Amino acid sequence: QVGILTVGKQYKAVITVENMTASPLSVRLGSSSSNQILSITSDGTYTAYGVAGGTQLRLRSQGFNGRITTYQ
């Protein structure tokens, strides 16, 4: 989604991943790799805090295979 974050504001991300079998999944508060707040490599529930460096919330992977059951 475009324009959902405010640059400079702190955010909390909670994500649950199940049945993950491939590439890591990164959570970014902006489009740059420097905006990454979380790298997920296995099943579980993860919580991370970070300051937005851009206005886009991004989930990035080179081939994620799994299921996201919670995302807040």
Side-chain angles (χ1 to χ4, degrees):
Q1 294 182 9
V2 177
I4 63 170
L5 302 177
T6 301
V7 175
K9 183 176 177 182
Q10 182 169 337
Y11 290 90
K12 174 184 175 183
V14 179
I15 187 168
T16 301
V17 176
E18 295 177 351
N19 303 320
M20 186 171 182
T21 60
S23 301
L25 178 67
S26 70
V27 179
R28 297 178 182 179
L29 300 179
S31 59
S32 170
S33 61
S34 65
N35 300 130
Q36 180 173 312
I37 61 166
L38 191 56
S39 180
I40 298 170
T41 58
S42 62
D43 292 351
T45 299
Y46 300 85
T47 301
Y49 298 85
V51 176
T55 60
Q56 299 173 348
L57 173 64
R58 292 201 172 192
L59 300 178
R60 302 273 302 176
S61 179
Q62 292 293 327
F64 174 76
N65 187 10
R67 194 171 125 203
I68 298 171
T69 60
T70 303
Y71 192 79
Q72 302 174 352

